[in-house]
Amino acid sequence: GVRGRRRLDRRALEPARVTRRVLITGAARGIGLATARAFLDLGAHVAVNGTSEASVARARAVLGHERTCAAPGDVGSVDGCRRLVAAAIAGLGELDVLVNNAGVYVEGPFEAVDEAAWDRVIDINVKGVFFTTRAALPHLRASKGTIVNVTSESGVWGYALGTVYCASKGAVINLTRALAIELAPDVRVNSVGPGPVATDMTRWCASCRWRRV
């Protein structure tokens, strides 16, 4: 090598090991399941959320790791948000990181979206983030923790046939901004906005009849 050049320490390129206690909503599949696996690979303890005990049990079996605990609950209701956070605390002891990942998608022409579809998407994608964060906040304040809200590029750009989903993700992006200001410096709040990812939800979207017209 060149004289005087410092040798590269390859350890600096490896991810840092963590011992954080993490709750991930919507962790039974897709991005949430992959996020749980990534945290476990880094040494974290992870509370796995899904809408049912069966879906959580399947996810934990797939993850195959002793550092997981079950936190079932439907984020579409305030009571469900409270119950899943309580289960996570019971399993983890405390909480350092909350990943608000749970979400659903509805596609169709603007005129075809009914109130039930609107309520389902907003309840899970927006209300779920708000009230899961509310329930977890005392624990995150105590640990000087972190909140990561999984949004979408759809919340920034918008597109046809996805008005409700785009509205919900745009709401979470601005909720993230507001919480980041209000909760600082005790709790750090950020969002991650993925583009298209191969999940059950996007595969369903690709097969939607509106896209085949």
Side-chain angles (χ1 to χ4, degrees), residues 54-197:
S55 67
V56 171
R58 286 193 297 269
R60 293 182 68 198
V62 169
L63 293 168
H65 212 293
E66 63 182 10
R67 281 187 278 104
T68 66
C69 67
D74 181 4
V75 301
S77 73
V78 176
D79 182 63
C81 295
R82 291 171 179 161
R83 285 190 290 106
L84 75 90
V85 171
I89 298 303
L92 299 175
E94 263 306 334
L95 190 63
D96 300 296
V97 180
L98 169 63
V99 180
N100 284 307
N101 168 75
V104 293
Y105 180 83
V106 170
E107 181 170 286
F110 175 72
E111 296 94 335
V113 176
D114 59 17
E115 184 178 7
W118 169 269
D119 287 347
R120 179 168 180 261
V121 174
I122 297 302
D123 281 354
I124 293 173
N125 294 10
V126 184
K127 187 168 78 173
V129 173
F130 190 98
F131 285 100
T132 301
T133 299
R134 170 84 63 83
L137 186 55
H139 307 281
L140 294 168
R141 277 203 167 115
S143 66
K144 301 292 184 182
T146 299
I147 299 168
V148 179
N149 295 327
V150 179
T151 58
S152 169
E153 64 174 10
S154 307
V156 178
W157 304 113
Y159 54 82
L161 303 179
T163 51
V164 184
Y165 183 76
C166 293
S168 72
K169 291 301 183 179
V172 175
I173 289 171
N174 222 28
L175 174 61
T176 302
R177 294 187 179 111
L179 286 175
I181 296 168
E182 184 170 338
L183 302 184
D186 294 335
V187 179
R188 183 174 58 182
V189 188
N190 287 288
S191 67
V192 176
V197 178

Side-chain angles (χ1 to χ4, degrees), residues 11-28:
R11 291 174 299 179
L13 301 179
E14 298 176 356
R17 304 292 293 178
V18 299
T19 55
R20 299 291 186 182
R21 298 154 296 184
V22 184
L23 166 59
I24 304 171
T25 67

